[in-house]
Amino acid sequence: MNYVSTRGKAPDLAFDDVLLTGLARDGGLYVPDAWPTLSGADIKAMNGLSYAETAFRVIRPFVGDSINEGDLATIIDDTYAGFDHPDVAPLKTLAAGEHLMELFHGPTLAFKDYAMQFLGRMFDHVLAKRGERVTIVVATSGDTGPAALEACRGRDAIDIFNLYPDGRVSEVQRRQMTTVNESNVHNIAVRGTFDDCQNMVKAMFNDQPFRDRYRLSAVNSINWARVMAQIVYYFYGSARVTGGAHPVSFAVPTGNFGNVFAGYAAARIGLPIDKLIVGTNRNDILSRFFESGLMQTGTVHPTISPSMDIQISSNFERLLFELYGRDSTVVRAIMNTFKDTGDFAVGPKQMATARQLFVSARFDDDETKKTIRDVYEQSGELIDPHSAIGIAAGRACRGNTDIPLISLATAHPAKFPDAVEAACGVRPELPARLSDLFQRDERFTVLDNDLAAVQDFVSTALPGTA
Ligand SMILES: *Cc1c(COP(=O)(O)O)cnc(C)c1O
């Protein structure tokens, strides 16, 4: 299988090159040149399989000949063996026909581990085979950084530089980054905002000599391999709830549209899905879009669900490509308009197609806290603010209650203890694997919001690279 860019001006690539490339050279995103399909019988045969076995069956067609099957199976087994629940993505029942899939049993307690742990291993495997190294640079507002560092720590072929805004991430999040004590891990606390960090990462990618000298690479959610690894739990959840034979709906708290796009991909390759319910916080660009057909950025407001404080949903471009019948000329024009004006509109025909599958709702911080409280009172489950937005959206939008609903719990409540305690009076405790987090030594370097200073820091840390 090959991959094509949504903007049609970058070379087609095989899976292993897409993995290492991340963003296409024309600014677009890579997608499979055709969707593989799993038959009804294939899907029913996943009933009762372990998470790793399910992952192998879902991922294999996307990888094609890039990685041999034995190696792929080993990498997948190794990835999920380190998760701290035997089911990897366990399901709980909140009410009749309403389920919660916990995606926080990886090392950093957020769903990003499910793809990132796989990505780190895949990078190492492909790079070792080629005898190459890469330097990963990542900007984080709090959840991507820890997941990326845990995935890359100690890997032979990778150095990773992690930029986060000094003083603007939670203490748990900061410690999850700064206590990763490995010589290939470099934490930079930037005297600035998340946007400043993001802009410096983009600038380093745009500095071609720098980019080439250090072989920069990206693990953010525009990397196709992350979306791919997230398709798995839609199949797994559906198999656990219905045996895979009947439609289910999924409620997904959404920021960059990566997670819920993986749900769309699951539907495209054959999983029976009734609705994909997109929950947003006050930063409601996506909810407004599904109501009006107009995508329009605004200012980012801080909320108690900070990993969704986003006003540009990068992965949406992949859906746009599908809605316009994979016409990269149209996508290119729309994305150019968006860059110039900060908005674009999608036609009525395309919106009708989108609305067959997607519905959306937004919730402010008070509504989010109320959902945390309600769920705790109804079922005794503590949920984090992001997961609460998914549950609230699911309850508001599911429509036909005969169809089972699975809400995705994207973070462990102990990642956001203050918000959870304020909502329901109970302070969630860190799981055993992180219980000594506040005793571990921290390592980080504070730098000004200055590109030259950050680039100097990279050059000094990697003296052998010329
Ligand atoms: C990243 C994140 C999200 C948003 O996921 P997207 O793929 O960007 O839509 C939601 N919840 C949590 C806890 C996250 O870390």
Side-chain angles (χ1 to χ4, degrees):
M1 157 170 307
N2 268 335
Y3 287 81
V4 296
S5 166
T6 49
R7 300 197 195 174
K9 295 274 187 198
D12 293 2
L13 298 179
F15 174 78
D16 48 340
D17 287 309
V18 167
L19 172 77
L20 299 182
T21 304
L23 191 69
R25 276 182 186 273
D26 58 3
L29 304 183
Y30 277 108
V31 288
D33 61 0
W35 291 104
T37 45
L38 295 171
S39 68
D42 292 337
I43 293 169
K44 281 190 200 128
M46 292 183 189
N47 197 2
L49 295 188
S50 71
Y51 191 89
E53 289 165 329
T54 308
F56 180 74
R57 294 194 187 187
V58 171
I59 289 172
R60 178 177 48 183
F62 289 105
V63 169
D65 303 329
S66 286
I67 291 167
N68 81 50
E69 292 200 347
D71 289 344
L72 181 63
T74 306
I75 292 168
I76 289 173
D77 286 347
D78 185 50
T79 298
Y80 298 107
F83 283 53
D84 72 3
H85 192 288
D87 291 348
V88 179
L91 282 122
K92 288 191 171 150
T93 301
L94 293 180
E98 190 192 8
H99 308 267
L100 188 68
M101 181 157 53
E102 292 181 352
L103 299 174
F104 50 69
H105 293 282
T108 72
L109 315 181
F111 83 96
K112 292 184 171 73
D113 289 327
Y114 287 70
M116 205 77 93
Q117 284 289 314
F118 173 71
L119 218 67
R121 287 167 174 80
M122 291 288 272
F123 261 83
D124 229 23
H125 176 80
V126 170
L127 291 166
K129 249 177 43 189
R130 296 180 177 197
E132 294 174 3
R133 297 185 61 80
V134 292
T135 303
I136 289 172
V137 285
V138 59
T140 184
S141 59
D143 274 350
T144 303
L149 296 183
E150 277 299 332
C152 296
R153 65 184 298 167
R155 302 209 175 278
D156 294 337
I158 301 175
D159 283 287
I160 180 163
F161 292 82
N162 177 47
L163 280 66
Y164 65 89
D166 192 25
R168 291 172 196 249
V169 297
S170 79
E171 185 165 12
V172 172
Q173 290 171 324
R174 187 192 74 235
R175 287 182 165 273
Q176 283 187 314
M177 300 187 278
T178 57
T179 62
V180 180
N181 188 2
E182 300 278 354
S183 60
N184 72 329
V185 165
H186 310 274
N187 275 300
I188 303 174
V190 174
R191 291 193 187 94
T193 64
F194 168 63
D195 286 336
D196 295 329
C197 298
Q198 179 111 297
N199 287 337
M200 285 200 284
V201 168
K202 281 187 191 150
M204 284 189 267
F205 273 93
N206 288 332
D207 178 343
Q208 289 297 337
F210 186 85
R211 177 179 183 162
D212 292 341
R213 174 161 352 114
Y214 297 105
R215 308 234 25 199
L216 297 193
S217 193
V219 295
N220 50 14
S221 74
I222 53 169
N223 192 313
W224 165 258
R226 275 189 61 187
V227 174
M228 177 185 77
Q230 292 171 184
I231 300 171
V232 174
Y233 45 72
Y234 289 89
F235 279 87
Y236 185 75
S238 169
R240 290 279 154 137
V241 167
T242 74
H246 304 288
V248 292
S249 291
F250 289 92
V252 188
T254 304
N256 234 330
F257 208 73
N259 199 2
V260 76
F261 186 80
Y264 173 85
R268 285 304 297 261
I269 68 179
L271 188 67
I273 294 180
D274 185 55
K275 289 278 179 258
L276 288 170
I277 301 163
V278 175
T280 74
N281 63 27
R282 205 182 143 195
N283 300 291
D284 59 351
I285 179 170
L286 286 166
S287 296
R288 286 183 282 118
F289 170 78
F290 284 111
E291 275 159 31
S292 66
L294 183 68
M295 189 73 92
Q296 190 169 41
T297 57
T299 32
V300 178
H301 300 286
T303 70
I304 59 169
S305 46
S307 298
M308 293 156 53
D309 291 348
I310 283 175
Q311 284 286 4
I312 297 179
S313 300
S314 314
N315 268 292
F316 187 82
E317 184 168 340
R318 291 189 159 110
L319 181 64
L320 206 56
F321 184 66
E322 301 295 339
L323 294 177
Y324 279 96
R326 310 196 125 218
D327 185 337
S328 55
T329 311
V330 175
V331 172
R332 213 160 55 235
I334 289 177
M335 294 315 294
N336 281 334
T337 305
F338 190 51
K339 192 165 145 243
D340 295 341
T341 65
D343 58 41
F344 66 80
V346 165
K349 183 164 155 268
Q350 288 73 22
M351 283 313 294
T353 308
R355 288 187 183 120
Q356 283 168 11
L357 198 53
F358 290 97
V359 277
S360 184
R362 56 154 268 166
F363 300 91
D364 64 20
D365 282 354
D366 285 340
E367 293 165 315
T368 306
K369 285 189 201 149
K370 180 174 186 311
T371 304
I372 295 174
R373 196 160 55 241
D374 287 349
V375 169
Y376 183 64
E377 282 166 8
Q378 291 154 7
S379 67
E381 291 296 328
L382 282 180
I383 52 166
D384 101 288
H386 304 80
S387 308
I389 287 174
I391 291 170
R395 289 179 174 178
C397 301
R398 70 188 289 199
N400 182 352
T401 51
D402 292 338
I403 293 173
L405 171 69
I406 302 177
S407 295
L408 305 192
T410 52
H412 191 287
K415 267 200 121 159
F416 302 95
D418 297 336
V420 175
E421 186 175 15
C424 70
V426 182
R427 193 164 183 88
E429 281 185 25
L430 282 169
R433 72 196 312 165
L434 283 169
S435 56
D436 67 342
L437 186 67
F438 286 81
Q439 278 81 55
R440 296 181 197 165
D441 287 336
E442 294 191 73
R443 270 195 339 153
F444 59 94
T445 303
V446 182
L447 293 179
D448 283 337
N449 173 25
D450 171 21
L451 181 62
V454 173
Q455 288 184 310
D456 271 355
F457 181 83
V458 173
S459 303
T460 308
L462 302 177
T465 313

